[in-house]
Amino acid sequence: MMKKAYDFAFIAIFFILCVYTCIHAPLFAPFVRQALDMCAEVLIPSLFPFLFLTQIFSRTGLAEAAGKTVSFILSPLFGVPKELCGAFLAGLAGGYPNGATAAGIAYEKGRCSKQAAERVAALSDNASPAFLIGVAGAYSLGSPKAGFLLCAALLLTLVSNAAFLRLCYPLKKSVDPIKTSDNRVSFAAAFCQSVENAVTNMLLICGYVILFYMLSGVICHVFLQKSNALARFGVQSFFEISGAVMAVRNADFPLNHILCAAAVGFSGLSVICQVTDISAKYGFSVRQFLFTRLTGTVLMPLYTALLLLVLPRQTISVCGYVRPLPVTSTKALVGTVLLYAFFTLFAMCVLGLVYLISEIWDRKRFKNLKT
């Protein structure tokens, strides 16, 4: 009886949303158009080459060979197994969700265990250097050199997350069997499969970006028309990272850096869904990835603020801040801190709930398989 009530409630909600969407179609259309423009002008040109390169390098073994040459640095620093250093590099270079793709291919080829692949996917699924330097740095913060500051903060966040994962999710030997498969594949077959998977993943990414960009835009338009820009940024960064990073363009220094770092650390529901979707294709759990989103929401802006404090004024001016630094009032500073604290708490509660549901679901599935 209870199940029928739930089914009826979901059907009713779905019907109401369909009717509302049809009636208020002009409200959704501008945001869908903006999301399509952003996909065509920013995401596809900057992300598709990395999607293809991640596929072809991982399938031909080039990424594994490159990773072995620098495994003496990456393995002890990030706790990544030597056989997965190539997948880790491919994920970092391409940005999310290339980390899950590279780790999934390595697991599919029988190069690692599932738990080790989940570790690499959790650490390497972050904003790419191209996105941080080109979009966040050059477009939003006014200088490509500002993107290098965010890259440094991201590197410190990765090292911290690696240490946290070692404590909370230690890698166990023989925790699950390594898949055995025939790694021999022709270059022509690897090329065709890489193009096919890159196009599929690109469509998946654009679909999630359009959906969550539209949702954030509609919510801001309906509920936050008279609110300040920080509240609108909180909604945008919660749903979709690209729109949130571009929204900090009009903020003053150093608030624009802190907000941009917070959006990158959290990544948004769009990225979380992208990584979850690709991870599910390989049977990966996203618990470790969600854990890094929780910690990244706090660590990324914290390290950015510390770097801004440590760097001398001359270095900051070289990074493009030649204008006098504006003095922020105490009231505005307190309001910013409270808003960021509320956003962090809300994001951690949502991700904690998703993490708990994932944990319960995995335990239930394990019991069913065991019985």
Side-chain angles (χ1 to χ4, degrees):
M1 186 66 181
M2 185 65 67
K3 186 177 183 301
K4 292 182 178 180
Y6 281 128
D7 293 340
F8 178 77
F10 282 121
I11 293 174
I13 293 173
F14 177 76
F15 178 76
I16 293 173
L17 290 176
C18 290
V19 173
Y20 181 85
T21 304
C22 293
I23 295 176
H24 299 278
L27 176 63
F28 294 91
F31 301 107
V32 175
R33 191 181 302 112
Q34 293 173 14
L36 288 172
D37 292 339
M38 184 174 62
C39 290
E41 296 176 3
V42 178
L43 291 182
I44 294 178
S46 62
L47 189 56
F48 181 79
F50 290 104
L51 290 173
F52 170 74
L53 292 176
T54 300
Q55 291 278 342
I56 193 68
F57 282 1
S58 300
R59 295 187 182 280
T60 56
L62 294 176
E64 183 180 12
K68 287 182 179 180
T69 59
V70 291
S71 60
F72 67 97
I73 297 176
L74 298 180
S75 188
L77 185 61
F78 299 101
V80 178
K82 293 181 178 180
E83 61 273 11
L84 283 175
C85 288
F88 179 73
L89 286 177
L92 286 181
Y96 28 60
N98 284 279
T101 301
I105 295 175
Y107 172 68
E108 193 178 47
K109 295 293 183 181
R111 299 169 186 164
C112 62
S113 65
K114 182 184 292 187
Q115 188 188 28
E118 291 172 353
R119 169 69 57 83
V120 171
L123 288 175
S124 59
D125 276 312
N126 288 282
S128 66
F131 179 84
L132 292 177
I133 297 172
V135 179
Y139 181 84
S140 295
L141 302 180
S143 170
K145 296 180 181 180
F148 288 98
L149 182 74
L150 295 177
C151 289
L154 179 60
L155 179 62
L156 295 174
T157 304
L158 283 176
V159 175
S160 301
N161 278 333
F164 290 145
L165 289 178
R166 286 176 178 176
L167 295 175
C168 301
Y169 297 93
L171 292 178
K172 300 178 182 179
K173 294 183 179 180
S174 302
V175 66
D176 49 22
I178 297 177
K179 296 178 64 176
T180 57
S181 61
D182 188 6
N183 292 330
R184 294 173 298 179
V185 61
S186 64
F187 180 81
F191 180 86
C192 296
Q193 194 171 7
S194 298
V195 173
E196 179 183 355
N197 291 336
V199 172
T200 303
N201 291 341
M202 192 72 252
L203 291 175
L204 178 146
I205 294 169
C206 290
Y208 281 118
V209 168
I210 293 171
L211 172 63
F212 287 103
Y213 186 92
M214 179 192 68
L215 289 177
S216 63
V218 170
I219 291 175
C220 291
H221 180 78
V222 175
F223 299 102
L224 300 177
Q225 286 186 340
K226 298 181 179 180
S227 300
N228 56 25
L230 290 177
R232 299 171 67 90
F233 167 81
V235 174
Q236 290 175 326
S237 59
F238 181 75
F239 283 99
E240 205 278 317
I241 181 176
S242 300
V245 169
M246 294 180 181
V248 303
R249 187 180 184 184
N250 298 324
D252 293 329
F253 177 84
L255 180 62
N256 54 354
H257 285 66
I258 304 301
L259 294 179
C260 188
V264 172
F266 178 64
S267 301
L269 291 182
S270 176
V271 167
I272 294 174
C273 289
Q274 295 169 26
V275 175
T276 302
D277 198 333
I278 294 179
S279 298
K281 296 179 181 179
Y282 301 100
F284 293 165
S285 171
V286 293
R287 290 195 298 267
Q288 295 188 56
F289 175 71
L290 293 178
F291 181 84
T292 60
R293 297 309 93 192
L294 287 172
T295 55
T297 306
V298 179
L299 293 178
M300 183 72 180
L302 176 62
Y303 284 131
T304 302
L306 290 177
L307 288 174
L308 290 174
L309 291 174
V310 170
L311 290 176
R313 178 62 63 87
Q314 292 81 3
T315 304
I316 295 177
S317 62
V318 169
C319 290
Y321 316 115
V322 294
R323 295 178 301 173
L325 301 182
V327 179
T328 305
S329 64
T330 304
K331 184 178 180 180
L333 181 61
V334 172
T336 301
V337 172
L338 290 177
L339 179 64
Y340 176 68
F342 174 77
F343 166 72
T344 303
L345 180 62
F346 181 68
M348 294 180 68
C349 289
V350 172
L351 288 180
L353 180 61
V354 175
Y355 176 86
L356 181 62
I357 294 175
S358 175
E359 187 78 21
I360 295 174
W361 178 265
D362 288 345
R363 290 183 180 180
K364 184 178 180 180
R365 184 177 59 177
F366 178 76
K367 289 182 180 179
N368 293 336
L369 293 175
K370 190 174 182 181
T371 55

